[in-house]
Amino acid sequence: LAILPAASMALSIPPLRGNSRFFLDTADVREWEALLPLGIFHGVTTNPVLLQRAGIACTVDECHRLAQTAFSLGANEFMAQAWGGDTDALVESGLALRAPDPARIVVKVPVTAEGTAAAARLISAGTRVCLTACYGR
């Protein structure tokens, strides 16, 4: 645990969030427009279900468009969930999702056997990964 002087903390951590990183969990751009300017949200996270609820096609191109919109509104990170029925498909969609901005696009993968294997491969390929819970129906 490193203890940083207050002066250095002020330079790297937004004062409204402290050490926390809050994300808007929605694909509704109107919510981003209302909430990102408040300065407390680090970014946006979405997934195929949220895309569907917002009436947005779950495609790589739509996710890229959304990422650009989020960044233009002040998001520091955009998380998009990979999709596919097996490890190879998750890796393929994950690599495609992060392609335009690997430093700021984080690929979410479900914590399943296939998702965990895909996460390892994506990380080896230089992809930022977030493991996400998955729920049965």
Side-chain angles (χ1 to χ4, degrees):
L1 176 63
I3 306 295
L4 299 176
S8 67
M9 287 179 62
L11 296 174
S12 63
I13 301 171
L16 296 174
R17 290 196 307 262
N19 290 323
S20 300
R21 293 188 329 175
F22 302 118
F23 289 82
L24 292 174
D25 193 13
T26 179
D28 186 336
V29 174
R30 292 170 300 181
E31 293 180 16
W32 303 356
E33 291 169 340
L35 298 171
L36 283 172
L38 297 176
I40 64 170
F41 295 99
H42 182 73
V44 172
T45 181
T46 190
N47 61 48
V49 171
L50 294 175
L51 292 170
Q52 181 182 24
R53 286 182 191 158
I56 299 169
C58 185
T59 67
V60 170
D61 287 341
E62 282 297 315
C63 287
H64 290 173
R65 183 186 63 75
L66 287 171
Q68 186 55 47
T69 300
F71 296 144
S72 73
L73 292 170
N76 295 299
E77 287 183 356
F78 181 81
M79 293 191 191
Q81 186 167 327
W83 56 82
D86 59 31
T87 299
D88 289 338
L90 289 166
V91 170
E92 181 180 342
S93 65
L95 291 173
L97 287 167
R98 64 99 171 177
D101 197 338
R104 296 191 297 171
I105 296 176
V106 177
V107 176
K108 294 171 30 176
V109 294
V111 183
T112 60
E114 296 82 8
T116 303
R121 287 176 46 192
L122 288 165
I123 291 166
S124 291
T127 304
R128 297 178 65 219
V129 169
C130 174
L131 295 173
T132 186
C134 55
Y135 304 96
R137 294 179 194 218

